[in-house]
């Protein structure tokens, strides 16, 4: 299902473990500040960035496939043209319930594949903005 309503977004924000693909180690970048905000609000944020060893004092993984822990949400901070491959990696996992692309990022075909596989999809929305608006 593609999430549009506030109630559906609230449900997507109830999950606890978020793998952030494209997580940045650079403060001031959205791909760093949004996951930092989520960590500060109690979410378990798993950084995915093949060019970093550690982000937020936690091991950064090269890909979703390298993560042994359970993942509820895959949050994507990569260009739209990379979304398809990331969604395919997410669909290889049985534990991912939500695929969320950040503001300005979307791939309708990849979103359709995720929905067809029973995953919840949020496209082009900022988790921090929606969390501030609906949860805090």
């Amino acid at each position: 299902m593609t999430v549009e309503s506030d109630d559906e977004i609230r449900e997507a924000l109830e999950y606890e473990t978020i793998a952030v693909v494209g997580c940045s180690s650079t403060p001031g970048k959205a791909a760093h500040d949004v996951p930092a905000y989520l960590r500060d609000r109690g979410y378990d944020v798993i950084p995915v960035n093949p060019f970093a060893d550690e982000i937020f004092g936690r091991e950064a993984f090269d890909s979703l496939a390298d993560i042994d822990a359970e993942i509820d949400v895959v949050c994507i901070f990569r260009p739209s043209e990379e979304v398809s491959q990331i969604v395919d990696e997410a669909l290889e996992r049985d534990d991912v319930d939500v695929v969320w692309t950040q503001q300005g990022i979307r791939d309708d075909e990849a979103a359709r594949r995720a929905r067809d596989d029973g995953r919840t999809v949020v496209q082009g929305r900022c988790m921090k903005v929606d969390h501030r608006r609906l949860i805090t």
Side-chain angles (χ1 to χ4, degrees):
M1 123 174 113
T2 298
V3 168
E4 297 292 333
S5 77
D6 285 350
D7 287 341
E8 293 167 328
I9 291 168
R10 226 181 252 107
E11 281 181 38
L13 289 168
E14 288 177 5
Y15 290 98
E16 295 177 4
T17 304
I18 305 169
V20 180
V21 179
C23 192
S24 174
S25 58
T26 307
K29 286 188 165 188
H32 178 274
D33 294 349
V34 171
Y37 168 90
L38 295 171
R39 282 185 72 242
D40 291 346
R41 300 313 180 279
Y43 289 94
D44 181 16
V45 173
I46 302 171
V48 180
N49 182 332
F51 303 106
D53 294 327
E54 184 180 285
I55 301 173
F56 308 126
R58 183 170 192 174
E59 177 185 2
F61 293 89
D62 289 347
S63 71
L64 294 173
D66 294 327
I67 301 171
D68 291 333
E70 295 267 324
I71 301 170
D72 300 318
V73 178
V74 171
C75 178
I76 302 172
F77 273 99
R78 298 299 303 148
S80 295
E81 57 269 15
E82 294 181 27
V83 169
S84 183
Q85 178 185 341
I86 296 164
V87 166
D88 288 344
E89 288 180 31
L91 296 179
E92 290 293 316
R93 301 182 61 103
D94 294 331
D95 53 352
V96 175
D97 292 308
V98 179
V99 174
W100 188 308
T101 65
Q102 282 295 122
Q103 215 162 12
I105 303 168
R106 67 182 302 121
D107 180 327
D108 292 335
E109 175 55 29
R112 184 196 57 74
R113 290 196 316 272
R115 280 192 312 273
D116 288 351
D117 198 58
R119 316 303 172 102
T120 298
V121 176
V122 180
Q123 284 201 97
R125 301 186 68 103
C126 178
M127 287 187 87
K128 177 179 175 180
V129 169
D130 281 334
H131 186 273
R132 276 186 172 160
R133 188 172 62 83
L134 298 170
I135 307 296
T136 57

